[in-house]
Amino acid sequence: MIRIENVSLRHGSAEILHDISLTIPKGGITALIGPNGAGKSSLLSLIARLQPLQSGTISIDGFPVDTTPNRDLARIIAILRQDSIVASRLRVRELVGFSRFPHSRGRLTAEDRVVIDQSLQQFDLADLADRFIDTLSGGQRQRALVAMAFAQATDYLLLDEPLNNLDMYFARDLMRSLRRIADENGKTVVIVLHDINQAGAYADRIIAMKAGRIAADGSPAELLRPEILQAIFGFRMEVADMGGTPVVLHFR
Amino acid sequence: MCNRRLLCLGAAALACVIAFMTIGLRGNIGFVLSLRAAKLAALLQVSVSIAVSTVIFQTVTNNRILTPSIMGLDALYLFGQMLLVFMLGGLGYAALDSQLKFGGEVLVLMALATGLLLPMLRRRTDMELMLLAGIIFGVLFRSLHSLLARLVDPNDFAVAQGASFANFNNVRTDLLIFAAVLTLMGAVIAWRARHVLDVVALGADAATGLGVTWSKTVTGLLALVSALVAVSTALVGPVAFMGLLVAALAERLADTRRHAILIPAAISTAIIILVGGQTLFQHVFGNSSTLGVVIEFVGGLVFLFLLVLGSRK
């Protein structure tokens, strides 16, 4: 369980997050949505202790993120950032292999190799395993980074806009993989999404943020309604029902 | 494949060492060998400390152009020397116990360098800013150095000059043992940290996500770099582009950034350049030029080449 209590964040005079309290139970997919600059990525990097906490507390499975040894946290929680820059002279397999660092401190064991191979298979990277990262397309690189986060084999997985650069095929594929690990392996996935319909189709719970506050929180059916969406995004959009899945017609 | 290349490099380095010790042996062999061994030990230490410090520094700063010397670290060291002479006078300076003085200098340099560089590295400021800041640091310390040099009297100046500018022909063998301990410790620490270095190369966020405590790790690595720079500067004087040359060559020869390969490759490359070059100059060119100048010239060209190439990878 991720427990966030009274977390605020300021950069100079700008208030990024305003007194956020939130509990994300173990298991399932939680999607964070909201307009640009709502504070979604900041919240995610605070949970993943990439930024120091200014006020409030965050704990994961009872471990406070600011005092728990970093190494222990790295075995509980993995994060994929939006703007991951990757050193270029690395092969895909090496990059994915880095995710095993919290477990084996760099000396890959047989078990590590199995996990790496599984992760490469899972994201259709087996053919690309020996390519250098800088020779990949944007979407392929994104898949390699997601595979890396997967192979860290943590209970919690934080993904910041992982669908960036992915075509429809791989976007769907990634969401289905996330659904599968949430259902079959009991992983907890927290994901920042801009495609609201992906959130509607795959998430168990949607948390909408606006201007550093939580604007709405609920299941896709509860949250994807015209009046709620208008309050969050500032314009009116129709929501259709396609066999039980709400589909937001935000493009018209 | 990488390992075969590394073996070749290691073998070439060993050949250079053997050539250095054996070519043109004449006269009292025992005496010549002990003389050469002391010099070889110094050159090896310099090779190790320059190679290791540059590789680590480039990994931490995430660029292939900056080296500790380009960032003004050895200018800082020279300024420290001059400051000591200025405050104690030439005689007082010369009377200092050289090992004790060296130990103190290394500590001060580590503290200062870490204090100066750490704020910049906290969030990996962009490369251009670091390069500019480094050049300005270098100019600042060099100017302070020459200001003090103008203020001291000529005798003191000669003392400071003698202490500051050893070169590859005239290494400071009096510091050998102390420096050897430091170099060895540095090399061992770097080797043990090779996997951590691989992760650090991924950047602050990725490394944190993988369980590396960024600021603590980077501070430790920078302290290590400054200690190694102090060793090499104390033994042979400032060499601005040697590290750059070594790191750039090693990365291309080994074709990897994995530190388990890269660190030994860089050390071997440095040994080939320093020991091999010194052998060439002594026996083939008859000391007609100094190795330091040639290395700086070639290294400077590599620096320009990398800049022009825009190689920030």
Side-chain angles (χ1 to χ4, degrees), chain A residues 84-100:
Chain A
S84 304
I85 309 160
V86 176
S88 53
R89 293 307 281 177
L90 276 179
R91 294 172 200 280
V92 173
R93 186 186 298 279
E94 286 179 293
L95 179 76
V96 176
F98 277 127
S99 63
R100 302 303 298 169

Side-chain angles (χ1 to χ4, degrees), chain B residues 9-291:
Chain B
L9 271 178
L14 193 65
C16 289
V17 168
I18 292 170
F20 182 82
M21 289 299 285
T22 52
I23 287 181
L25 269 184
R26 276 192 308 275
N28 186 340
I29 289 181
F31 174 72
V32 176
L33 277 184
S34 75
L35 206 64
R36 286 187 182 186
K39 200 165 161 185
L40 178 68
L43 288 177
L44 289 181
Q45 284 173 32
V46 172
S47 306
V48 171
S49 52
I50 289 181
V52 173
S53 63
T54 310
V55 167
I56 294 180
F57 191 77
Q58 292 192 343
T59 293
V60 172
T61 55
N62 188 28
N63 75 86
R64 302 288 167 266
I65 296 176
L66 293 186
T67 65
S69 349
I70 294 174
M71 292 295 288
L73 272 192
D74 54 0
L76 184 61
Y77 176 86
L78 292 182
F79 168 63
Q81 297 291 318
M82 190 52 100
L83 194 65
L84 269 182
V85 173
F86 181 71
M87 291 193 306
L88 300 175
L91 263 182
Y93 179 87
L96 284 177
D97 177 53
S98 67
Q99 314 232 348
L100 198 68
K101 177 171 130 328
F102 180 59
E105 283 162 1
V106 170
L107 282 180
V108 172
L109 191 69
M110 281 166 69
L112 273 177
T114 318
L116 283 174
L117 291 176
L118 202 63
M120 283 197 285
L121 291 178
R122 263 280 145 72
R123 297 301 302 174
R124 273 198 179 182
T125 333
D126 59 310
M127 226 261 318
E128 286 78 7
L129 188 67
M130 299 233 329
L131 193 59
L132 276 176
I135 289 168
I136 289 169
F137 273 139
V139 171
L140 173 70
F141 294 126
R142 265 172 220 119
S143 313
L144 285 173
H145 178 264
S146 52
L147 173 71
L148 288 183
R150 254 151 245 201
L151 293 177
V152 298
D153 72 58
N155 287 330
D156 291 352
F157 180 71
V159 173
Q161 234 11 17
S164 306
F165 294 99
N167 62 31
F168 294 118
N169 280 318
N170 174 25
V171 290
R172 296 279 303 275
T173 42
D174 53 332
L175 299 173
L176 266 188
I177 308 242
F178 194 80
V181 174
L182 265 182
T183 312
L184 203 65
M185 270 168 47
V188 169
I189 294 173
W191 178 251
R192 292 178 58 103
R194 63 195 187 278
H195 298 302
V196 176
L197 282 165
D198 287 338
V199 173
V200 165
L202 295 177
D205 283 348
T208 308
L210 290 175
V212 170
T213 313
W214 181 256
S215 55
K216 205 176 89 188
T217 310
V218 166
T219 314
L221 288 174
L222 272 186
L224 177 63
V225 167
S226 0
L228 290 173
V229 170
V231 169
S232 86
T233 315
L235 286 176
V236 296
V239 272
F241 292 118
M242 167 83 184
L244 184 87
L245 182 63
V246 166
L249 275 178
E251 189 175 345
R252 275 156 188 75
L253 290 174
D255 194 28
T256 178
R257 276 307 286 181
R258 298 306 288 260
H259 290 80
I261 307 281
L262 188 61
I263 290 178
I267 292 175
S268 306
T269 312
I271 291 175
I272 294 170
I273 293 177
L274 267 192
V275 180
Q278 192 63 27
T279 314
L280 266 183
F281 272 92
Q282 278 178 3
H283 300 291
V284 181
F285 302 128
N287 275 331
S288 58
S289 173
T290 50
L291 179 61

